[in-house]
């Protein structure tokens, strides 16, 4: 899937995924890009931010996602610990590619690392605006420094760029000024595409309600109700039924 060619043709759809079954759902629904985000720190591992995610975490989950995806482009988010130097980022990206088969990486900021990865034959998705690996608070990113960094990331060879928590008018300007597609999260409708964190858009976390999030389902409610019904059936002794049990061997 060449995401670059979609700029100006149609909007690009992207979602995160972290495991085999949900990656298959996302891929079979026809989403263009599946990002194995380091947001897995929060939504899979229960941490309060992405900073402690390891390259081993990313390799394990990217491997699972690769098994569930047939058509979409899979992107592995390189964690903070990988993005400390050119030598470290190259070692870690090569590990990801060798073990999982995924040769497409995402990097927050750091155009010099984008350039090194592109020179080494990787496809790289950039990321600017709010950069959770650096930020201590959730804050909309206003100002020309966002445009400047987006341009530097494009010049370093990225094939697309995530704009996170950027005012809609600034995101439109960046989208107009770049040749590569912009993928927004909290950046308005003017971007070339949109991305959301899958468990958030499925409504799996009732406590998470940022302004930019649209919840497309109440999976928390559905799952909790199913689990409650299962508990009741077990306690009443009506699960399993005879048809859900094995007969004696013939
Ligand atoms: O880690 C992540 O899920 C991300 C998206 C929010 C773009 O970087």
């Amino acid at each position: 899937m060449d995401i670059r060619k979609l700029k100006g043709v149609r909007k690009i759809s992207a979602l995160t995924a972290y495991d085999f079954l949900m990656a298959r759902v996302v891929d079979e629904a026809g989403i263009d890009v599946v990002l194995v985000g380091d947001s897995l720190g929060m939504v899979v591992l229960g941490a309060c931010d992405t900073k402690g995610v390891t390259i081993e975490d990313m390799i394990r989950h990217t491997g699972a996602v690769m098994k569930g995806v047939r058509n979409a482009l899979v992107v592995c988010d390189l964690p903070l610990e990988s993005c400390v130097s050119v030598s470290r980022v190259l070692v870690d990206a090569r590990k990801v590619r060798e073990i999982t088969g995924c040769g497409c990486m995402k990097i927050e900021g750091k155009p010099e690392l984008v350039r090194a990865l592109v020179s080494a034959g990787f496809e790289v998705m950039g990321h600017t605006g709010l950069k959770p690996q650096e930020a201590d608070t959730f804050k909309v990113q206003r100002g020309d420094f966002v445009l400047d960094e987006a341009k530097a990331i494009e010049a370093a060879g990225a094939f697309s760029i995530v704009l996170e928590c950027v005012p809609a008018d600034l995101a439109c300007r960046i989208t107009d000024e770049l040749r590569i597609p912009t993928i927004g999260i909290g950046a308005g409708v003017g971007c070339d595409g949109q991305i959301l964190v899958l468990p958030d858009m499925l409504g799996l976390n009732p406590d998470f309600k940022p302004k930019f999030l649209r919840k497309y389902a109440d999976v928390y409610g559905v799952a909790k109700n199913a689990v409650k019904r299962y508990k009741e059936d077990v306690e009443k002794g009506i699960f399993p039924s005879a048809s859900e049990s094995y007969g004696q061997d013939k």
Side-chain angles (χ1 to χ4, degrees):
M1 162 93 44
D2 191 348
I3 293 304
R4 257 167 302 218
K5 290 199 179 128
L6 296 178
K7 187 171 175 107
V9 176
R10 69 159 169 84
K11 296 275 188 181
I12 298 159
S13 58
L15 282 173
T16 67
Y18 315 93
D19 62 47
F20 167 70
L21 288 177
M22 291 313 289
R24 198 171 67 179
V25 169
V26 169
D27 185 56
E28 289 182 358
I31 290 291
D32 297 313
V33 180
V34 180
L35 170 69
V36 189
D38 64 355
S39 49
L40 77 81
M42 287 94 81
V43 299
V44 177
L45 303 176
C48 58
D49 59 34
T50 63
K51 296 186 173 82
V53 173
T54 64
I55 190 63
E56 284 74 27
D57 294 330
M58 296 312 304
I59 288 172
R60 171 157 289 207
H61 289 272
T62 302
V65 166
M66 286 291 280
K67 292 190 183 106
V69 169
R70 285 177 180 209
N71 297 308
L73 175 70
V74 178
V75 182
C76 171
D77 209 1
L78 290 174
L80 180 58
E81 70 166 14
S82 301
C83 298
V84 289
S85 66
V86 165
S87 54
R88 176 70 194 263
V89 88
L90 288 173
V91 166
D92 285 1
R94 284 184 180 126
K95 250 195 236 170
V96 172
R97 185 167 60 188
E98 201 179 297
I99 298 172
T100 71
C102 174
C104 192
M105 309 294 146
K106 180 167 86 60
I107 297 259
E108 289 184 17
K110 302 182 178 154
E112 69 286 4
L113 300 189
V114 174
R115 188 178 301 282
L117 284 172
V118 171
S119 304
F122 292 94
E123 293 272 18
V124 181
M125 176 180 272
H127 182 148
T128 190
L130 182 71
K131 292 174 280 181
Q133 291 177 5
E134 280 176 17
D136 288 323
T137 52
F138 180 88
K139 203 165 137 222
V140 178
Q141 304 294 299
R142 305 168 197 278
D144 278 357
F145 69 93
V146 185
L147 174 63
D148 294 344
E149 187 170 64
K151 284 184 172 171
I153 289 170
E154 176 178 69
F159 73 92
S160 68
I161 186 165
V162 169
L163 303 180
E164 180 165 354
C165 287
V166 172
D169 55 346
L170 177 56
C172 277
R173 208 173 130 213
I174 297 171
T175 301
D176 283 348
E177 294 202 20
L178 296 192
R179 290 181 311 279
I180 57 172
T182 57
I183 314 285
I185 175 165
V189 78
C191 297
D192 296 305
Q194 298 293 328
I195 185 163
L196 286 174
V197 169
L198 185 66
D200 296 344
M201 65 81 79
L202 291 178
L204 204 46
N205 182 357
D207 307 325
F208 189 61
K209 301 175 197 149
K211 180 180 169 74
F212 66 79
L213 178 62
R214 185 179 298 175
K215 295 193 182 189
Y216 284 85
D218 173 24
V219 173
Y220 175 84
V222 170
K224 193 166 166 190
N225 189 33
V227 171
K228 274 184 172 168
R229 284 173 32 233
Y230 164 74
K231 173 181 152 70
E232 279 164 24
D233 288 355
V234 169
E235 287 176 359
K236 285 184 201 151
I238 58 172
F239 175 81
S241 64
S243 68
E244 289 156 337
S245 307
Y246 295 106
Q248 213 171 347
D249 282 347
K250 294 225 169 83

